[in-house]
Amino acid sequence: MKAKQILILAAALAVSACAGAKGSAAVEAVKQSDTITVTGKYLADPMKVTVVAPTSYFAPGDTAHYPVVYLLNGHGGNYRNWGRIVSLDSFANEFGCIIVCPSGMNSWYWDSPVNPGMQMESFIIKELIPYIDSNYRTRADRMGRAITGFSMGGHGGLWLGIRHSDIFGSAGSTSGGVNIIPFPTRWNMPNMLGAYESNKERWEAHTVKNLVDSLKPGQINIIFDCGTEDFFYKVNCDLDAALNARKIPHVFITSPGAHNGAYWSKSIYPQLQFFRDKWTGK
């Protein structure tokens, strides 16, 4: 029995030293993923958040500070969504980063002008990010932070990234609702902004496409994509055209795919590669 226990211990230690493709096995020895609850004055309800660190973070004597990727979920989802689409543990290992998945709460990641208890933009910028930086060994500078997401979260990734390029060095979107104007009754947006017909200026001011004129070349690293069968395909192509017209450097990727997890499980990988290249200075 003692010999068997020694073999089991040796196997566990070997697993804990592995990274990359072996990251999923390392979960048995190191709990990479945690669910935390963050409260603050900008949201009426506490927020549950998934935080995933690479196995190297837990190695004895490791004092490294890690870049952080904020992954935002779509409408109707929460902090669990990304973990159901991809292996966050494996991604954290492969890209050597901490991954943070907040709960979007159908907010579109705005500070709602009509709902005082849903000031999501302020919560993420003023409360969530400082909490993560205070409680984890993060690389707490703009080039060590990236933000992206799918669908509503894609809008949120570019909305927050562009508006807070002092906080984020890179921003992305996959299948993002990057122009909300063609969808005035959909996905809880009237509850956040008020009815479109009586609040047109507000709606125009709260869509990513209309942030382009505020951008300067090189202000932030931008990558976004959309599947050619996606109902957001046209608005993403329009965003690409607007950025080109302003001569704003960016990466725009299109490929066959619809608005679903099968597409996002593949589309997120090039974005993580892009972010890693930026935080490593490539």
Side-chain angles (χ1 to χ4, degrees), residues 166-240:
D166 59 324
I167 302 295
F168 298 102
S170 301
S173 167
T174 181
S175 305
V178 295
N179 184 2
I180 63 172
I181 306 304
F183 311 97
T185 63
R186 303 294 303 276
W187 306 301
N188 206 57
M189 289 189 288
N191 293 338
M192 294 293 108
L193 299 179
Y196 174 73
E197 289 300 323
S198 54
N199 297 279
K200 290 184 179 180
E201 289 187 9
R202 179 185 291 164
W203 278 65
E204 293 285 349
H206 281 78
T207 192
V208 163
K209 183 174 179 289
N210 291 342
L211 296 178
V212 171
D213 286 343
S214 71
L215 275 171
K216 298 177 181 178
Q219 178 178 328
I220 187 169
N221 303 307
I222 295 174
I223 182 171
F224 63 105
D225 63 72
C226 196
T228 53
E229 287 73 55
D230 197 306
F231 48 78
F232 283 145
Y233 180 63
K234 183 181 184 303
V235 296
N236 277 269
C237 290
D238 291 345
L239 177 62
D240 175 53

Side-chain angles (χ1 to χ4, degrees), residues 2 12 28 48 50 72 80 99 122 151 177 201 220 259 265-266 276:
K2 288 183 179 180
E28 297 300 321
K48 287 190 175 182
T50 296
L72 309 182
R80 297 188 185 99
I99 298 174
S122 290
S151 194
E201 289 187 9
I220 187 169
H259 200 83
S265 67
K266 299 175 183 177
R276 178 177 59 188

Side-chain angles (χ1 to χ4, degrees), residues 4 39 63-64 88 102 112 122 125 136 153 161 184 200 224-225 228 237 241-242 245 250 256 266 272 276-277:
K4 184 177 180 180
T39 60
T63 59
L88 295 176
S112 170
S122 290
I125 298 300
Y136 296 87
K200 290 184 179 180
F224 63 105
D225 63 72
T228 53
C237 290
H250 64 285
K266 299 175 183 177
L272 294 173
R276 178 177 59 188
D277 287 348

Side-chain angles (χ1 to χ4, degrees), residues 5-264:
Q5 289 173 336
I6 291 171
L7 287 172
I8 292 172
L9 177 59
L13 290 172
V15 167
S16 68
C18 295
K22 297 181 181 179
S24 58
V27 175
E28 297 300 321
V30 174
K31 187 176 184 293
Q32 291 180 247
S33 177
D34 197 11
T35 300
I36 63 173
T37 300
V38 182
T39 60
K41 65 181 181 180
Y42 294 104
L43 296 180
D45 300 312
M47 179 192 284
K48 287 190 175 182
V49 181
T50 296
V51 181
V52 183
T55 52
S56 58
Y57 184 95
F58 306 98
D62 183 70
T63 59
H65 287 70
Y66 291 79
V68 184
V69 177
Y70 289 82
L71 290 183
L72 309 182
N73 63 266
H75 183 266
N78 57 33
Y79 65 100
R80 297 188 185 99
N81 283 131
W82 273 109
R84 292 169 175 167
I85 296 170
V86 298
S87 172
L88 295 176
D89 290 356
S90 295
F91 279 173
N93 284 333
E94 180 171 355
F95 294 100
C97 65
I98 295 170
I99 298 174
V100 178
C101 301
S103 295
M105 298 180 174
N106 295 340
S107 65
W108 283 81
Y109 303 95
W110 296 313
D111 281 351
S112 170
V114 299
N115 184 348
M118 186 54 73
Q119 306 299 297
M120 184 62 76
E121 180 175 359
S122 290
F123 174 80
I124 289 175
I125 298 300
K126 298 179 182 180
E127 294 178 332
L128 178 60
I129 292 174
Y131 180 94
I132 296 297
D133 287 344
S134 296
N135 289 275
Y136 296 87
R137 296 196 316 275
T138 64
R139 180 178 159 185
D141 61 83
R142 64 180 295 272
M143 291 310 296
R145 288 194 202 93
I147 186 167
T148 189
F150 68 82
S151 194
M152 178 188 80
H155 181 278
L158 292 178
W159 174 260
L160 295 173
I162 293 171
R163 284 169 56 83
H164 300 279
S165 56
D166 59 324
I167 302 295
F168 298 102
S170 301
S173 167
T174 181
S175 305
V178 295
N179 184 2
I180 63 172
I181 306 304
F183 311 97
T185 63
R186 303 294 303 276
W187 306 301
N188 206 57
M189 289 189 288
N191 293 338
M192 294 293 108
L193 299 179
Y196 174 73
E197 289 300 323
S198 54
N199 297 279
K200 290 184 179 180
E201 289 187 9
R202 179 185 291 164
W203 278 65
E204 293 285 349
H206 281 78
T207 192
V208 163
K209 183 174 179 289
N210 291 342
L211 296 178
V212 171
D213 286 343
S214 71
L215 275 171
K216 298 177 181 178
Q219 178 178 328
I220 187 169
N221 303 307
I222 295 174
I223 182 171
F224 63 105
D225 63 72
C226 196
T228 53
E229 287 73 55
D230 197 306
F231 48 78
F232 283 145
Y233 180 63
K234 183 181 184 303
V235 296
N236 277 269
C237 290
D238 291 345
L239 177 62
D240 175 53
L243 289 166
N244 285 330
R246 288 276 297 169
K247 295 182 170 55
I248 304 298
H250 64 285
V251 175
F252 177 45
I253 301 170
T254 65
S255 61
H259 200 83
N260 55 39
Y263 174 83
W264 302 322

